[in-house]
């Protein structure tokens, strides 16, 4: 595979505010890459610079074999799906999709065939004569996609493409987009603040915070081997436990849990524990290292899954998520045995105030 | 006790409902009487006088010496004013909304100035600058361009007086336009001009049309600025409103009413189209 | 792998600068065009009248404002404007309220009637007044028999000015009333406020800005009206001569110096009104943003 999008040391300053700082990453041909981060992390600005809608203060951009840092929007031939779709309100679905072909002076017959083909693809054939405000949110989304794809762009850039939709439609469209991508194979760059969306759709994630890249990796790497406490907390939920590192273990209160990464002995640290990595057994006895005792404070049943809030001996709360049927002999106020299968520790000074942000809402 | 209280309560509510209805009715009556006396009656009397003997009165009105020419001149200058201000009004609105530059506020305020300046004063201003008493006016005359007491002067006066209309009609629509639509057009390969022509212009076209029609309607009736600047030469620079004034002050109200009716018929039609356009824009594509 | 990315570096940068410069030049030209247009139409004529007015020297100001006919003209304009604003404000609110809050047959017609003054030439309005109250007019005999002078007197001048100014308040208040809805008024009533209290404490503060804007526009229009007033006034010096009529006569009689001074004064008053409008508007948008 070859790299189709490459950005190097991209920096954007708006007045005194540095929205993007030294961002470097590549996206391979045919892949979906997600720029993931909370709002204000600069991910949309990166996308807009790649499209040519914003001029970088510093840094370079390549699309395919050519450097495009200084070319105009029109020359870059990217497909862009805007956050609120930006459909042309005075044009019908058909005319919207046609627009990019008409301004590029494609022959009439070719144009018609291409629009036809795309409306077929996004399953909007019967709606061709409607105006944007006669469509549902999901339909508008698909028109926006068809319009962006019509001129056969080399890359597809999507700015929070599902942000304005409700949860159910979002799910459907996500699956649909995934299939569409398999079918077309167009290199895509997706901006989102929704980790589920990024994990489900993308081959690669670029996690951003405050204008910088925190980590680049596959969904698996990002989820299981977060490089920074921010990534650990932002992608997937995590318990944050206070303690010390001793001999490759995290010690909090009277308990010790093996940690996956290396930290120097004796330092003040925070352990990030995924709720599904916490096991609960009835009867507070047994178990070896890594087993602790805790009191059940709350049980929330979410269908097949249950969320249990536990209070450890040293007063810290920890949330466990486990199949509901494993909980049948556990009740409120019981003292249970808690197994932490996996934990990642970070230096407390690195975690700082992020801990509050990352901890599981209980 | 209890039942008595309830009874008075009910009587209370009944009478208060009656009072409310009375209040509503009397307010409505006030509105109807006010608009009826202040607007419908004067309009009715002009139409009645103007059309007393049907359309033949209209013909008589136009038959009066100079009347047909005056109506034509008014139509021509009003159309020209509508076209010119449609173009410049759109440009000004676009510049005010889309560009950031020092003095933008001032420019915006200047556009509103003609709403405040008496139209007569506008005429005086134009004569002061472009009239024979000013070096600029003499220089222009030397170059063969007559402004004051000529048709060009009438056009200038109409342009000043109706300056705000197109700008103020287009501006809010431009503000409402999602800039992302223009960006979308650019990512699809459209140049700046193509984007304006195919994305921005269609969106603001109804507003431009409404503004231009307003300019036209207002220009048809404009008197204060024109009477000063035009010189009122019968058959050359005499507009219909000035002719109506002359006829009225010569105690020929019937002829005046006939010309006024012609003017009224045209401008009323224009206003009808304008409100239809405005409604179309609001309710348009559902 | 990244070797292919090294192609083309310098050339494009120049193209970008050229493109940006072109865009900047285009913008500059458009702004310049707007400024030029406004200069030819407004700024230069404004400067022209200032220059012409003051050419005879500052003395002309004192001379003009001590003339009794000038003083009388300004007084008459103020009187007419005050009456007009009072009437159009009071009735304008009522009409706007009725049009927004009540549903009845003929409402659309009434609504269309409000726009009529926009379609009528002011001269035609004056003419209508003559046709109603002048000799042989519909109501001439009624008022003549009671010795009430309407035409060529203050009443007709006020009437035509009101006619011209009717739409402003209504059209400014109407959308605001529509926007605020009835919820707050209902809430006030459930809290025990009477109809009058509800209007004064809830409705009026809500429509205040629209109302002020309408008043400013009405006042500007009333002060500057000429066509309608000219037809009905009879141009009696020192009696039915408003400030605009004074300018008109002075221009006819070629007393341009005092005409320019009075015109400039009227323009100054109008600019003050405009400033008030801008101030209200800016405050309104700031509130919208908040």
């Amino acid at each position: 595979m070859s790299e189709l999008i490459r950005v190097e040391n991209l920096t954007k300053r708006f007045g005194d505010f540095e929205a993007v700082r030294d961002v470097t990453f590549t996206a391979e041909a045919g892949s979906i890459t997600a720029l993931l981060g909370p709002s204000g992390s600069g991910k949309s600005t990166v996308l807009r610079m790649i499209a040519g809608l914003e001029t970088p203060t510093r840094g370079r951009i390549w699309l395919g074999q050519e450097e495009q840092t200084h070319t105009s929007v029109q020359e870059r031939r990217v497909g862009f799906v805007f956050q609120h779709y930006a459909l042309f309100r005075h044009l019908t679905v058909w005319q919207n999709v046609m627009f990019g072909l008409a301004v590029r002076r494609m022959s009439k017959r070719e144009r018609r065939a291409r629009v036809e083909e795309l409306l077929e693809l996004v399953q909007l054939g019967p709606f061709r004569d409607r105006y944007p405000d006669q469509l549902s949110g999901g339909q508008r989304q698909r028109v926006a996609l068809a319009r962006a794809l019509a001129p056969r762009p080399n890359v597809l850039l999507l700015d929070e493409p599902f942000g304005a939709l409700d949860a159910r439609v979002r799910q459907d469209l996500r699956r649909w987009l995934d299939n569409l991508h398999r079918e077309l194979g167009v290199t895509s760059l997706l901006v989102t603040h929704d980790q589920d969306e990024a994990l489900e759709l993308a081959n690669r994630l670029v996690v951003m915070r405050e204008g910088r890249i925190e980590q680049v990796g596959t969904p698996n790497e990002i989820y299981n081997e977060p490089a920074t406490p921010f990534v650990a907390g932002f992608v997937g939920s995590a318990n944050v436990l206070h303690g010390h590192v001793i001999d490759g273990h995290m010690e909090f209160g009277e308990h010790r849990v093996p940690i996956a990464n290396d930290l120097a002995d004796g330092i003040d640290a925070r352990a990030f524990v995924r709720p599904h990595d916490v096991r609960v057994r009835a009867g507070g006895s047994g178990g070896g290292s890594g087993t602790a005792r805790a009191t059940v404070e709350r049980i929330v049943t979410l269908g097949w899954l249950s969320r249990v809030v536990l209070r450890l001996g040293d007063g810290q709360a920890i949330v466990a998520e486990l199949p509901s049927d494993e909980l049948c002999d556990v009740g409120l106020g019981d003292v249970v045995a808690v197994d932490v299968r996996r934990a990642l520790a970070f230096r407390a000074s690195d975690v700082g105030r992020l801990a509050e942000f990352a901890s599981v809402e209980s | 006790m209890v039942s008595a209280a309830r009874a008075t309560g009910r009587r209370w509510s009944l009478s208060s409902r009656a009072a409310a209805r009375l209040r509503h009715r009397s307010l409505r009556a006030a509105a109807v009487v006010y608009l009826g006396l202040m607007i419908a009656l004067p309009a009715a009397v002009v139409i009645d006088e103007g059309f007393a003997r049907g359309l033949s009165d209209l013909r008589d009105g136009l038959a009066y010496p100079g009347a047909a020419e005056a109506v034509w001149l008014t139509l021509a200058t009003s159309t020209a004013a509508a076209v010119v201000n449609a173009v410049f009004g759109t440009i000004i609105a676009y510049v005010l909304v889309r560009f950031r530059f020092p003095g933008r506020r001032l420019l915006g305020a200047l556009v509103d100035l003609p709403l405040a300046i008496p139209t007569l004063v506008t005429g005086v201003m134009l004569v002061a600058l472009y009239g024979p008493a000013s070096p600029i006016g003499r220089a222009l005359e030397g170059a063969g361009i007559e402004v004051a007491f000529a048709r060009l002067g009438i056009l200038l006066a109409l342009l000043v007086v109706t300056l705000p209309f197109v700008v103020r009609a287009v501006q809010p629509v431009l503000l409402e336009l999602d800039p992302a639509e223009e960006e979308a057009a650019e990512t699809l390969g459209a140049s700046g001009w193509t984007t304006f022509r195919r994305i921005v212009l269609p969106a603001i076209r109804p507003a431009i049309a409404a503004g231009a029609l307003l300019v036209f309607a207002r220009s048809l009736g404009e008197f204060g600025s024109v009477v000063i600047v035009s010189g009122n030469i019968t058959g050359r620079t005499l507009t219909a409103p000035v002719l109506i004034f002359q006829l009225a002050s010569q105690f020929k109200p019937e002829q005046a009413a006939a010309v006024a009716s012609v003017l009224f018929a045209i401008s009323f039609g224009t206003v009808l189209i304008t409100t239809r356009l405005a409604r179309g824009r609001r309710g348009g594509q559902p | 792998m990244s070797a292919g990315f090294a192609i083309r570096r310098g050339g494009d940068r120049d193209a970008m600068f050229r493109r940006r410069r072109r865009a900047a030049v285009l913008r500059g030209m458009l702004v310049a065009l707007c400024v030029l247009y406004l200069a030819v139409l407004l700024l230069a004529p404004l400067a022209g009248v200032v220059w012409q007015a003051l050419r005879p020297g500052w003395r002309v100001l004192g001379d003009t404002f001590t003339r009794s006919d000038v003083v009388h003209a300004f007084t008459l304009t103020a009187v007419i404007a005050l009456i007009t604003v009072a009437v159009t404000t009071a009735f304008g609110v009522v009409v706007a309220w009725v049009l927004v809050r009540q549903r009845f047959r003929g409402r659309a017609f009434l609504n269309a009637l409000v726009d009529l003054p926009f379609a009528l030439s002011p001269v035609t309005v004056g003419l209508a007044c003559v046709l109603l109250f002048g000799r042989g007019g519909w109501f001439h005999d009624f008022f003549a028999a009671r010795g009430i002078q309407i035409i060529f007197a203050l009443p007709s001048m006020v009437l035509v000015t009101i006619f011209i100014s009717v739409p402003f308040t209504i059209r400014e208040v109407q959308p605001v009333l529509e926007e605020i809805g009835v919820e707050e008024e209902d809430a006030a009533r459930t809290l025990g406020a009477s109809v009058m209290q509800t209007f004064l404490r809830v409705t009026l503060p809500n429509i205040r800005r629209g109302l002020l804007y309408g008043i400013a526009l009405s006042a500007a229009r009333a002060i500057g009206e000429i066509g309608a007033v000219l037809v009905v006034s009879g141009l009696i010096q020192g009696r039915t001569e408003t400030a605009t009529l004074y300018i008109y006569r002075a221009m006819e009689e070629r007393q341009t110096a005092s005409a320019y001074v009075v015109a400039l004064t009227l323009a100054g008053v109008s600019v003050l009104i405009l400033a008030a409008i801008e101030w209200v508007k800016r405050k309104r948008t700031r509130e919208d943003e908040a």
Side-chain angles (χ1 to χ4, degrees), chain B residues 112, chain C residues 172 176 206-217 272-288:
Chain B
D112 275 338
Chain C
E172 288 300 326
V176 187
N206 273 328
I207 62 171
R208 196 179 54 216
R209 305 219 175 286
L211 194 59
L212 278 175
Y213 198 56
I215 289 175
L217 285 172
L272 279 183
I273 289 172
L274 173 87
I277 292 176
E278 282 294 315
W279 178 73
V280 168
K281 220 198 278 178
R282 199 167 303 163
K283 231 176 153 179
R284 188 159 48 177
T285 51
R286 204 175 299 150
E287 264 168 33
D288 286 350

Side-chain angles (χ1 to χ4, degrees), chain A residues 3 25 42 64 68 98 141 154 162 199 231 244 285:
Chain A
E3 295 163 355
F25 67 91
Q68 303 267 17
M98 176 79 89
Q141 224 283 329
N154 297 323
F162 309 111
L199 292 172
V231 176
H244 291 87
S285 61

Side-chain angles (χ1 to χ4, degrees), chain A residues 219-241:
Chain A
N220 203 20
E221 285 165 356
I222 298 284
Y223 189 79
N224 291 317
E225 296 153 38
T228 66
F230 172 79
V231 176
F234 186 72
V235 181
S237 49
N239 293 287
V240 180
L241 298 171

Side-chain angles (χ1 to χ4, degrees), chain B residues 10-83:
Chain B
R10 190 177 301 150
R11 204 180 314 133
W12 248 108
S13 75
L14 264 181
S15 70
S16 77
R17 198 177 306 156
R21 198 180 306 144
L22 187 69
R23 208 160 43 226
H24 273 228
R25 291 251 168 96
S26 51
L27 279 175
R28 192 190 308 165
V32 169
V33 169
Y34 173 65
L35 291 182
L37 281 182
M38 294 315 304
I39 294 182
L41 188 65
V45 72
V46 174
I47 296 167
D48 179 69
E49 286 287 336
F51 296 93
R53 277 164 293 137
L55 288 175
S56 66
D57 267 12
L58 282 187
R59 222 173 305 125
D60 292 351
L62 290 176
Y64 190 83
E69 289 89 338
V71 169
W72 274 120
L73 177 65
T74 299
L75 280 176
T77 48
S78 302
T79 309
V83 171

Side-chain angles (χ1 to χ4, degrees), chain B:
Chain B
M1 269 278 280
V2 176
S3 71
R6 201 179 290 153
T8 51
R10 190 177 301 150
R11 204 180 314 133
W12 248 108
S13 75
L14 264 181
S15 70
S16 77
R17 198 177 306 156
R21 198 180 306 144
L22 187 69
R23 208 160 43 226
H24 273 228
R25 291 251 168 96
S26 51
L27 279 175
R28 192 190 308 165
V32 169
V33 169
Y34 173 65
L35 291 182
L37 281 182
M38 294 315 304
I39 294 182
L41 188 65
V45 72
V46 174
I47 296 167
D48 179 69
E49 286 287 336
F51 296 93
R53 277 164 293 137
L55 288 175
S56 66
D57 267 12
L58 282 187
R59 222 173 305 125
D60 292 351
L62 290 176
Y64 190 83
E69 289 89 338
V71 169
W72 274 120
L73 177 65
T74 299
L75 280 176
T77 48
S78 302
T79 309
V83 171
V84 174
N85 262 347
V87 173
F88 278 94
T90 306
I91 295 175
I92 292 172
Y94 191 82
V95 164
L96 283 178
V97 171
R98 285 295 148 86
F99 297 172
R100 291 287 170 277
F101 54 94
R104 191 177 66 98
R105 268 255 168 79
L106 190 68
L107 196 71
L110 271 182
V111 169
D112 275 338
L113 206 57
L115 283 182
I117 294 185
T119 61
L120 184 77
V121 174
T122 303
V124 171
M125 275 163 43
L126 289 172
V127 168
L129 183 74
Y130 298 116
S134 120
I136 292 181
R138 280 196 298 274
L140 285 173
E141 217 179 313
I145 306 169
E146 254 186 294
V147 180
F149 314 131
R151 290 179 181 188
L152 188 57
I154 301 176
L155 179 61
L156 275 188
L158 296 181
L159 288 178
V160 178
V161 169
T162 60
L163 179 69
F165 296 168
V166 176
V167 181
R168 293 296 168 234
V170 173
Q171 216 177 6
V173 184
L174 265 180
L175 274 173
E176 233 177 75
L177 257 187
D178 185 0
E181 269 189 53
E182 285 159 68
E183 292 181 345
E186 286 181 2
T187 63
L188 291 167
S191 66
W193 171 240
T194 309
T195 305
F196 180 80
R197 196 168 47 87
R198 300 190 55 158
I199 303 303
V200 180
L201 199 56
I204 60 175
R205 202 178 289 142
I208 298 175
L213 283 171
L214 215 57
V215 170
F216 180 76
R218 177 67 200 273
S219 297
L220 285 180
E222 180 50 29
F223 175 82
S225 59
V226 171
V227 76
I228 295 288
V229 112
S230 72
N232 312 316
I233 306 157
T234 308
R236 276 198 49 221
T237 62
L238 183 71
T239 65
V242 180
L243 175 66
I244 297 170
F245 159 65
Q246 289 184 349
L247 290 171
S249 53
Q250 290 158 17
F251 300 102
K252 292 174 182 160
E254 289 83 17
Q255 285 91 329
V259 180
S261 300
V262 176
L263 212 54
F264 174 64
I266 300 168
S267 60
F268 190 66
T270 316
V271 169
L272 274 186
I273 298 172
T274 314
T275 48
R276 186 74 41 89
L277 267 181
R279 212 169 295 146
R281 186 157 53 90
R282 239 173 280 139
Q285 304 137 10

Side-chain angles (χ1 to χ4, degrees), chain A residues 4-5 22 54-55 102 123 126 130 139 152 154 170 176 194 201 233 252 316 329 344 358:
Chain A
L4 203 67
I5 304 173
D22 275 333
E54 219 76 71
T55 315
Q123 299 149 19
R130 297 241 187 136
Q139 290 167 336
R152 300 182 200 277
N154 297 323
R170 216 158 149 146
W176 176 81
D194 182 338
L201 282 172
F252 42 95
Q316 297 196 67
D329 42 357
L344 269 174

